[in-house]
Amino acid sequence: MNSEDPGPVSSGASLDLISEQLARLEGSGGSGSFVTRGSARATGLCIEVRGVGELRLPVTSSQAEELRRVARPAPFGWQDQTLHDSTVRNTWEIARSRVKIAARGWKATLAAELDRVRRELGLPEGCVLEAVFDKMLLYERGQFFKSHQDSERDDAMVGTLLVVLPSRYTGGTLRVEHKGKSKSLHRLKSQATELSLIAFYADCRHEIAPLKSGHRVVLTYHLHLGESRGVALPAVRRTAVETLAAHVRAHFETPVEKRWSSQEAQLPERLVYLLDHEYSKRSLSWGRLKGADRVRISALCQVAGQLDCECFLTLADVYEVWDCLPEFEPVGYWGREYREVEGGDHTLENLIDDSIELHHWIDRDGEIERSAHSRVDATELCFTLPSKDMDPFESQYEGYQGNYGNTEERWYHRAALVMWPREKAFLVHAKASPTWAVDTLAEHPRNATAELEAKVRSLVPSWTSHALRDEKPRFFAKLMKVAERLEDSEVAADFVRPVGVEHLDTAAVRRALARLVGTHGEDWGRTLFACWTERERWRGSPDWLSWLADVCEELCAGEEPAGPGLAAWLLDRETARAHERCIAARERRPAWLDLTAFASEAGNVAQVLAAAARLGDHELLAAATGSLAARKPGSPMLLRLAVLRGGIAQAPELRAFLVKTELHRGVVDELGELLSQPVRDPNDWTIEHPLGCTCGDCAELARFLRSSEQRRDWPLNKERRRHIHAVLETHELPVSHTTLRQGRPFVLQLRKLRSLFSREAAYCKALRRVLGELKVGRDRR
């Protein structure tokens, strides 16, 4: 197999080949280095320090002493903090405000050096590199700065320039690292009389080894790269581009199975390449790419031109969780046991979880697109620098915690190039922003239905999962309007599937639904609702019944018979479901004297009855209320009362019907019988309440509750005590239950509480109020 014909490979292999080919481009023309060094004569540099006067070069020991008197200990940045710690940074700093550099002689020398720095760092021809003075540093014997990365204080900052003034010293080696490579810059003999100018990218880690003797004086500059839209990307060898194009083509032509997905293998839609260097929102642009990134992005853009793909630059937020191997130390007399060193180092072992989110999209014209955030799948990702080899902007280590721990979470700010075939542009944009997709489809010409349906059909496989990210009513209303223009019933159903019953609370959505049912038929509507309500049931929320009446009314308002037919089917089905919930509720034992025990089930029934009343379906109303009215064993009066109260509160037409039913009369009679019983005697401590459990301990507990005893000490083991605790708490009975931890087994102490009387009095008062309301409603009919 030759280099220009990679042959049939899997998409994962294609990604590896793409990464390998891009890695080979480092060091090719235009890629540059991560650090550069040069020298210049010091005759043109004139420096004056307030409190010291004009510096004579080379810097003498006496001048260094004077500089130290006006200096202060240098701080360092850590995330968003400025800290002082001499174990991390031990050097002197002279503030910018004290230093004056004469521009006349220095300007030309600096300009020439900046042009050299631009070339050697691989920055594009024609861009403007500006050096912004930051401060002066003084290193004396023993002083150092541990490995660190400079803070990018300006979005235009791309690097750091160090101008080491001529002086005599030993040690103080500068070590610069990037992408696993490092370069050590020792003192040169020429530095005794000449300036040494060292520049490196801002995302490089670097450190200053301790000075062994003498003094080292440095001017530090921030390197800013101006916006340069007209700057062309560097040329790349034709053979390299063709090889890369073959690998990218293989990637887009090889079906892949996505992780955690049950869908069949599909062709990749995108290629995402993570850049080596770091960029901010303002510094990311085609004209500000750094080092090898320029060459690689140039090659990928040429490939995009060959394969008719679109390209975007974007920021990438990377999150990773790593399994770690902590540092251990021996303990004990013989040192045969080990424990984790608190605050010690740890080694990354295995990647447990990760995610990448793209945002801030820039097209090839340099325009910023308002696109939503987009997740990256492993089947579309390649890189030449793993994130773990970079410094995270934030990390959190969790030590061993028994059944979890020894993990580190890491967050990185990276950048990426994203590429996709132009023919898939709509699908890619739609997945990133469903709102954009619906807006675009809504603007589609009305005489191009076939093309509209083709675009919608391309969305179908993953449309529901992506569209559900948008919960705005406007989005779903517009989606339904687009669906009305679809002639294919199956495509229309797939397109509106994300709407769900939970979004039928909007009148515009309900009207569009009625028109769709009129177009595609009652069976189409039944299938759609079966899908919608199955999803709603899986979510465990029947709240959509609040607008069931509005949905049914809208369906019946149309001229086509499919609407009223679907409304009747919905009513029958929801009535059956509400009945099932009531049967299930009868099996549940409510808390003692709880008027709200069946509020949820009763509310569902009341909403279905309100819909039937709105449509004038008196036959369904009569059947439903007749079933509820019958006093059956195990049918709680509180359930019937809750349904009746909920229905009366729903709507005037339902209230008018209910007050004439047997359900209303039966509940009023039951309440009257209950309230006619004598008030509890102050010495009556009996509690009648079904516990719903047939075990021996619950039978014994029930006997205690029905008895006149106020207390009981009950020796029980732990599991039996736990069961009695749970029963008493579930039913909210007025009985305290504590454990006396003496003897074996421990003793469960049960004590009936005086709240028994006050809670029962409050319950009877509430029932009298409800009875009065029901009688008033009956008298007004």
Side-chain angles (χ1 to χ4, degrees), residues 496-523:
V496 301
R497 187 164 285 120
V499 176
V501 290
E502 63 268 29
H503 295 110
L504 293 177
D505 57 334
T506 305
V509 176
R510 293 195 294 268
R511 285 194 294 270
L513 171 67
R515 290 191 289 268
L516 283 168
V517 171
T519 300
H520 299 291
E522 181 181 337
D523 289 341

PDB file of all heavy atoms in Angstrom, residues 496-523:
ATOM      1  N   VAL A 496     -42.678  15.728  14.080  1.00  0.00           N
ATOM      2  CA  VAL A 496     -43.373  16.310  15.239  1.00  0.00           C
ATOM      3  C   VAL A 496     -43.231  15.452  16.490  1.00  0.00           C
ATOM      4  O   VAL A 496     -43.726  15.839  17.554  1.00  0.00           O
ATOM      5  CB  VAL A 496     -44.876  16.539  14.936  1.00  0.00           C
ATOM      6  CG1 VAL A 496     -45.052  17.458  13.749  1.00  0.00           C
ATOM      7  CG2 VAL A 496     -45.604  15.230  14.712  1.00  0.00           C
ATOM      8  N   ARG A 497     -42.544  14.324  16.386  1.00  0.00           N
ATOM      9  CA  ARG A 497     -42.411  13.451  17.560  1.00  0.00           C
ATOM     10  C   ARG A 497     -41.792  14.155  18.769  1.00  0.00           C
ATOM     11  O   ARG A 497     -42.189  13.894  19.908  1.00  0.00           O
ATOM     12  CB  ARG A 497     -41.593  12.211  17.181  1.00  0.00           C
ATOM     13  CG  ARG A 497     -41.540  11.164  18.288  1.00  0.00           C
ATOM     14  CD  ARG A 497     -41.079   9.812  17.783  1.00  0.00           C
ATOM     15  NE  ARG A 497     -42.149   9.157  17.035  1.00  0.00           N
ATOM     16  CZ  ARG A 497     -42.055   8.791  15.760  1.00  0.00           C
ATOM     17  NH1 ARG A 497     -40.952   9.028  15.088  1.00  0.00           N
ATOM     18  NH2 ARG A 497     -43.053   8.202  15.149  1.00  0.00           N
ATOM     19  N   PRO A 498     -40.822  15.056  18.597  1.00  0.00           N
ATOM     20  CA  PRO A 498     -40.256  15.725  19.785  1.00  0.00           C
ATOM     21  C   PRO A 498     -41.243  16.609  20.533  1.00  0.00           C
ATOM     22  O   PRO A 498     -40.987  16.963  21.689  1.00  0.00           O
ATOM     23  CB  PRO A 498     -39.109  16.575  19.198  1.00  0.00           C
ATOM     24  CG  PRO A 498     -38.815  16.005  17.863  1.00  0.00           C
ATOM     25  CD  PRO A 498     -40.104  15.450  17.367  1.00  0.00           C
ATOM     26  N   VAL A 499     -42.338  17.009  19.891  1.00  0.00           N
ATOM     27  CA  VAL A 499     -43.263  17.963  20.531  1.00  0.00           C
ATOM     28  C   VAL A 499     -43.810  17.378  21.828  1.00  0.00           C
ATOM     29  O   VAL A 499     -43.703  17.969  22.906  1.00  0.00           O
ATOM     30  CB  VAL A 499     -44.407  18.341  19.572  1.00  0.00           C
ATOM     31  CG1 VAL A 499     -45.408  19.240  20.285  1.00  0.00           C
ATOM     32  CG2 VAL A 499     -43.855  19.023  18.332  1.00  0.00           C
ATOM     33  N   GLY A 500     -44.403  16.194  21.759  1.00  0.00           N
ATOM     34  CA  GLY A 500     -44.903  15.543  22.957  1.00  0.00           C
ATOM     35  C   GLY A 500     -46.131  16.229  23.534  1.00  0.00           C
ATOM     36  O   GLY A 500     -46.420  17.390  23.247  1.00  0.00           O
ATOM     37  N   VAL A 501     -46.874  15.507  24.372  1.00  0.00           N
ATOM     38  CA  VAL A 501     -48.091  16.059  24.960  1.00  0.00           C
ATOM     39  C   VAL A 501     -47.783  17.210  25.908  1.00  0.00           C
ATOM     40  O   VAL A 501     -48.632  18.078  26.142  1.00  0.00           O
ATOM     41  CB  VAL A 501     -48.880  14.962  25.711  1.00  0.00           C
ATOM     42  CG1 VAL A 501     -49.497  13.973  24.752  1.00  0.00           C
ATOM     43  CG2 VAL A 501     -47.990  14.245  26.712  1.00  0.00           C
ATOM     44  N   GLU A 502     -46.554  17.245  26.431  1.00  0.00           N
ATOM     45  CA  GLU A 502     -46.230  18.292  27.406  1.00  0.00           C
ATOM     46  C   GLU A 502     -46.168  19.671  26.785  1.00  0.00           C
ATOM     47  O   GLU A 502     -46.180  20.672  27.504  1.00  0.00           O
ATOM     48  CB  GLU A 502     -44.900  17.970  28.105  1.00  0.00           C
ATOM     49  CG  GLU A 502     -43.699  17.922  27.199  1.00  0.00           C
ATOM     50  CD  GLU A 502     -43.408  16.531  26.664  1.00  0.00           C
ATOM     51  OE1 GLU A 502     -44.367  15.746  26.521  1.00  0.00           O
ATOM     52  OE2 GLU A 502     -42.234  16.244  26.390  1.00  0.00           O
ATOM     53  N   HIS A 503     -46.115  19.759  25.438  1.00  0.00           N
ATOM     54  CA  HIS A 503     -46.053  21.061  24.778  1.00  0.00           C
ATOM     55  C   HIS A 503     -47.362  21.428  24.094  1.00  0.00           C
ATOM     56  O   HIS A 503     -47.402  22.382  23.315  1.00  0.00           O
ATOM     57  CB  HIS A 503     -44.906  21.086  23.767  1.00  0.00           C
ATOM     58  CG  HIS A 503     -43.554  20.951  24.405  1.00  0.00           C
ATOM     59  ND1 HIS A 503     -42.773  19.827  24.275  1.00  0.00           N
ATOM     60  CD2 HIS A 503     -42.872  21.791  25.224  1.00  0.00           C
ATOM     61  CE1 HIS A 503     -41.658  19.983  24.969  1.00  0.00           C
ATOM     62  NE2 HIS A 503     -41.689  21.151  25.550  1.00  0.00           N
ATOM     63  N   LEU A 504     -48.426  20.696  24.391  1.00  0.00           N
ATOM     64  CA  LEU A 504     -49.738  21.021  23.838  1.00  0.00           C
ATOM     65  C   LEU A 504     -50.448  22.103  24.646  1.00  0.00           C
ATOM     66  O   LEU A 504     -51.626  22.375  24.430  1.00  0.00           O
ATOM     67  CB  LEU A 504     -50.616  19.763  23.787  1.00  0.00           C
ATOM     68  CG  LEU A 504     -50.154  18.677  22.804  1.00  0.00           C
ATOM     69  CD1 LEU A 504     -51.064  17.461  22.898  1.00  0.00           C
ATOM     70  CD2 LEU A 504     -50.134  19.206  21.377  1.00  0.00           C
ATOM     71  N   ASP A 505     -49.729  22.729  25.582  1.00  0.00           N
ATOM     72  CA  ASP A 505     -50.324  23.802  26.371  1.00  0.00           C
ATOM     73  C   ASP A 505     -50.418  25.099  25.587  1.00  0.00           C
ATOM     74  O   ASP A 505     -51.049  26.063  26.044  1.00  0.00           O
ATOM     75  CB  ASP A 505     -49.526  24.027  27.656  1.00  0.00           C
ATOM     76  CG  ASP A 505     -48.065  24.342  27.365  1.00  0.00           C
ATOM     77  OD1 ASP A 505     -47.572  23.921  26.291  1.00  0.00           O
ATOM     78  OD2 ASP A 505     -47.415  24.984  28.199  1.00  0.00           O
ATOM     79  N   THR A 506     -49.809  25.154  24.407  1.00  0.00           N
ATOM     80  CA  THR A 506     -49.829  26.361  23.572  1.00  0.00           C
ATOM     81  C   THR A 506     -50.920  26.239  22.516  1.00  0.00           C
ATOM     82  O   THR A 506     -51.003  25.228  21.805  1.00  0.00           O
ATOM     83  CB  THR A 506     -48.460  26.546  22.884  1.00  0.00           C
ATOM     84  OG1 THR A 506     -47.438  26.557  23.887  1.00  0.00           O
ATOM     85  CG2 THR A 506     -48.414  27.846  22.103  1.00  0.00           C
ATOM     86  N   ALA A 507     -51.750  27.282  22.398  1.00  0.00           N
ATOM     87  CA  ALA A 507     -52.879  27.248  21.453  1.00  0.00           C
ATOM     88  C   ALA A 507     -52.405  27.039  20.023  1.00  0.00           C
ATOM     89  O   ALA A 507     -53.032  26.302  19.247  1.00  0.00           O
ATOM     90  CB  ALA A 507     -53.686  28.538  21.573  1.00  0.00           C
ATOM     91  N   ALA A 508     -51.281  27.668  19.641  1.00  0.00           N
ATOM     92  CA  ALA A 508     -50.783  27.534  18.273  1.00  0.00           C
ATOM     93  C   ALA A 508     -50.403  26.091  17.970  1.00  0.00           C
ATOM     94  O   ALA A 508     -50.638  25.597  16.862  1.00  0.00           O
ATOM     95  CB  ALA A 508     -49.588  28.461  18.066  1.00  0.00           C
ATOM     96  N   VAL A 509     -49.825  25.395  18.933  1.00  0.00           N
ATOM     97  CA  VAL A 509     -49.449  23.996  18.737  1.00  0.00           C
ATOM     98  C   VAL A 509     -50.695  23.133  18.608  1.00  0.00           C
ATOM     99  O   VAL A 509     -50.766  22.235  17.756  1.00  0.00           O
ATOM    100  CB  VAL A 509     -48.551  23.510  19.895  1.00  0.00           C
ATOM    101  CG1 VAL A 509     -48.248  22.022  19.752  1.00  0.00           C
ATOM    102  CG2 VAL A 509     -47.257  24.306  19.927  1.00  0.00           C
ATOM    103  N   ARG A 510     -51.707  23.395  19.422  1.00  0.00           N
ATOM    104  CA  ARG A 510     -52.944  22.600  19.357  1.00  0.00           C
ATOM    105  C   ARG A 510     -53.654  22.802  18.017  1.00  0.00           C
ATOM    106  O   ARG A 510     -54.165  21.843  17.421  1.00  0.00           O
ATOM    107  CB  ARG A 510     -53.873  22.985  20.518  1.00  0.00           C
ATOM    108  CG  ARG A 510     -53.333  22.602  21.886  1.00  0.00           C
ATOM    109  CD  ARG A 510     -54.433  22.675  22.935  1.00  0.00           C
ATOM    110  NE  ARG A 510     -54.911  24.033  23.141  1.00  0.00           N
ATOM    111  CZ  ARG A 510     -54.446  24.880  24.033  1.00  0.00           C
ATOM    112  NH1 ARG A 510     -53.448  24.515  24.819  1.00  0.00           N
ATOM    113  NH2 ARG A 510     -54.954  26.096  24.166  1.00  0.00           N
ATOM    114  N   ARG A 511     -53.693  24.048  17.532  1.00  0.00           N
ATOM    115  CA  ARG A 511     -54.356  24.304  16.244  1.00  0.00           C
ATOM    116  C   ARG A 511     -53.622  23.593  15.109  1.00  0.00           C
ATOM    117  O   ARG A 511     -54.243  22.999  14.225  1.00  0.00           O
ATOM    118  CB  ARG A 511     -54.416  25.808  15.978  1.00  0.00           C
ATOM    119  CG  ARG A 511     -55.450  26.546  16.805  1.00  0.00           C
ATOM    120  CD  ARG A 511     -55.696  27.942  16.269  1.00  0.00           C
ATOM    121  NE  ARG A 511     -54.527  28.791  16.416  1.00  0.00           N
ATOM    122  CZ  ARG A 511     -54.278  29.549  17.501  1.00  0.00           C
ATOM    123  NH1 ARG A 511     -55.143  29.538  18.518  1.00  0.00           N
ATOM    124  NH2 ARG A 511     -53.199  30.304  17.571  1.00  0.00           N
ATOM    125  N   ALA A 512     -52.291  23.651  15.147  1.00  0.00           N
ATOM    126  CA  ALA A 512     -51.510  22.971  14.109  1.00  0.00           C
ATOM    127  C   ALA A 512     -51.714  21.464  14.180  1.00  0.00           C
ATOM    128  O   ALA A 512     -51.808  20.786  13.147  1.00  0.00           O
ATOM    129  CB  ALA A 512     -50.035  23.320  14.261  1.00  0.00           C
ATOM    130  N   LEU A 513     -51.805  20.910  15.401  1.00  0.00           N
ATOM    131  CA  LEU A 513     -52.055  19.485  15.563  1.00  0.00           C
ATOM    132  C   LEU A 513     -53.387  19.089  14.939  1.00  0.00           C
ATOM    133  O   LEU A 513     -53.485  18.079  14.227  1.00  0.00           O
ATOM    134  CB  LEU A 513     -52.031  19.111  17.041  1.00  0.00           C
ATOM    135  CG  LEU A 513     -52.481  17.682  17.365  1.00  0.00           C
ATOM    136  CD1 LEU A 513     -51.490  16.667  16.802  1.00  0.00           C
ATOM    137  CD2 LEU A 513     -52.631  17.488  18.877  1.00  0.00           C
ATOM    138  N   ALA A 514     -54.423  19.888  15.194  1.00  0.00           N
ATOM    139  CA  ALA A 514     -55.744  19.584  14.632  1.00  0.00           C
ATOM    140  C   ALA A 514     -55.694  19.573  13.106  1.00  0.00           C
ATOM    141  O   ALA A 514     -56.295  18.698  12.467  1.00  0.00           O
ATOM    142  CB  ALA A 514     -56.758  20.614  15.129  1.00  0.00           C
ATOM    143  N   ARG A 515     -54.967  20.527  12.516  1.00  0.00           N
ATOM    144  CA  ARG A 515     -54.865  20.555  11.050  1.00  0.00           C
ATOM    145  C   ARG A 515     -54.084  19.347  10.523  1.00  0.00           C
ATOM    146  O   ARG A 515     -54.423  18.780   9.481  1.00  0.00           O
ATOM    147  CB  ARG A 515     -54.211  21.865  10.602  1.00  0.00           C
ATOM    148  CG  ARG A 515     -55.104  23.086  10.806  1.00  0.00           C
ATOM    149  CD  ARG A 515     -54.544  24.313  10.107  1.00  0.00           C
ATOM    150  NE  ARG A 515     -53.347  24.823  10.767  1.00  0.00           N
ATOM    151  CZ  ARG A 515     -53.350  25.758  11.710  1.00  0.00           C
ATOM    152  NH1 ARG A 515     -54.501  26.284  12.125  1.00  0.00           N
ATOM    153  NH2 ARG A 515     -52.217  26.173  12.264  1.00  0.00           N
ATOM    154  N   LEU A 516     -53.032  18.949  11.251  1.00  0.00           N
ATOM    155  CA  LEU A 516     -52.265  17.783  10.835  1.00  0.00           C
ATOM    156  C   LEU A 516     -53.110  16.511  10.900  1.00  0.00           C
ATOM    157  O   LEU A 516     -53.036  15.655  10.000  1.00  0.00           O
ATOM    158  CB  LEU A 516     -51.038  17.631  11.735  1.00  0.00           C
ATOM    159  CG  LEU A 516     -49.865  18.570  11.450  1.00  0.00           C
ATOM    160  CD1 LEU A 516     -48.854  18.505  12.588  1.00  0.00           C
ATOM    161  CD2 LEU A 516     -49.209  18.215  10.133  1.00  0.00           C
ATOM    162  N   VAL A 517     -53.908  16.374  11.950  1.00  0.00           N
ATOM    163  CA  VAL A 517     -54.785  15.204  12.066  1.00  0.00           C
ATOM    164  C   VAL A 517     -55.812  15.209  10.934  1.00  0.00           C
ATOM    165  O   VAL A 517     -56.133  14.163  10.347  1.00  0.00           O
ATOM    166  CB  VAL A 517     -55.473  15.179  13.438  1.00  0.00           C
ATOM    167  CG1 VAL A 517     -56.548  14.105  13.502  1.00  0.00           C
ATOM    168  CG2 VAL A 517     -54.448  14.957  14.546  1.00  0.00           C
ATOM    169  N   GLY A 518     -56.322  16.394  10.601  1.00  0.00           N
ATOM    170  CA  GLY A 518     -57.268  16.496   9.481  1.00  0.00           C
ATOM    171  C   GLY A 518     -56.638  16.078   8.168  1.00  0.00           C
ATOM    172  O   GLY A 518     -57.300  15.498   7.300  1.00  0.00           O
ATOM    173  N   THR A 519     -55.334  16.342   8.018  1.00  0.00           N
ATOM    174  CA  THR A 519     -54.638  16.001   6.770  1.00  0.00           C
ATOM    175  C   THR A 519     -54.258  14.529   6.719  1.00  0.00           C
ATOM    176  O   THR A 519     -54.457  13.863   5.682  1.00  0.00           O
ATOM    177  CB  THR A 519     -53.363  16.856   6.627  1.00  0.00           C
ATOM    178  OG1 THR A 519     -53.739  18.232   6.605  1.00  0.00           O
ATOM    179  CG2 THR A 519     -52.607  16.497   5.356  1.00  0.00           C
ATOM    180  N   HIS A 520     -53.735  13.997   7.805  1.00  0.00           N
ATOM    181  CA  HIS A 520     -53.157  12.654   7.774  1.00  0.00           C
ATOM    182  C   HIS A 520     -54.066  11.578   8.368  1.00  0.00           C
ATOM    183  O   HIS A 520     -53.742  10.388   8.254  1.00  0.00           O
ATOM    184  CB  HIS A 520     -51.820  12.660   8.510  1.00  0.00           C
ATOM    185  CG  HIS A 520     -50.811  13.583   7.900  1.00  0.00           C
ATOM    186  ND1 HIS A 520     -50.231  13.354   6.676  1.00  0.00           N
ATOM    187  CD2 HIS A 520     -50.282  14.753   8.349  1.00  0.00           C
ATOM    188  CE1 HIS A 520     -49.387  14.334   6.389  1.00  0.00           C
ATOM    189  NE2 HIS A 520     -49.401  15.207   7.389  1.00  0.00           N
ATOM    190  N   GLY A 521     -55.160  11.942   9.024  1.00  0.00           N
ATOM    191  CA  GLY A 521     -56.129  10.952   9.457  1.00  0.00           C
ATOM    192  C   GLY A 521     -56.077  10.589  10.926  1.00  0.00           C
ATOM    193  O   GLY A 521     -55.098  10.874  11.636  1.00  0.00           O
ATOM    194  N   GLU A 522     -57.142   9.937  11.387  1.00  0.00           N
ATOM    195  CA  GLU A 522     -57.280   9.595  12.795  1.00  0.00           C
ATOM    196  C   GLU A 522     -56.245   8.564  13.231  1.00  0.00           C
ATOM    197  O   GLU A 522     -55.674   8.674  14.324  1.00  0.00           O
ATOM    198  CB  GLU A 522     -58.688   9.047  13.059  1.00  0.00           C
ATOM    199  CG  GLU A 522     -58.935   8.676  14.518  1.00  0.00           C
ATOM    200  CD  GLU A 522     -60.326   8.115  14.752  1.00  0.00           C
ATOM    201  OE1 GLU A 522     -61.245   8.404  13.936  1.00  0.00           O
ATOM    202  OE2 GLU A 522     -60.494   7.380  15.748  1.00  0.00           O
ATOM    203  N   ASP A 523     -55.986   7.553  12.396  1.00  0.00           N
ATOM    204  CA  ASP A 523     -54.996   6.530  12.769  1.00  0.00           C
ATOM    205  C   ASP A 523     -53.616   7.150  12.957  1.00  0.00           C
ATOM    206  O   ASP A 523     -52.856   6.741  13.847  1.00  0.00           O
ATOM    207  CB  ASP A 523     -54.942   5.435  11.702  1.00  0.00           C
ATOM    208  CG  ASP A 523     -56.194   4.560  11.709  1.00  0.00           C
ATOM    209  OD1 ASP A 523     -56.901   4.579  12.735  1.00  0.00           O
ATOM    210  OD2 ASP A 523     -56.459   3.884  10.705  1.00  0.00           O
TER     211      ASP A 523
END
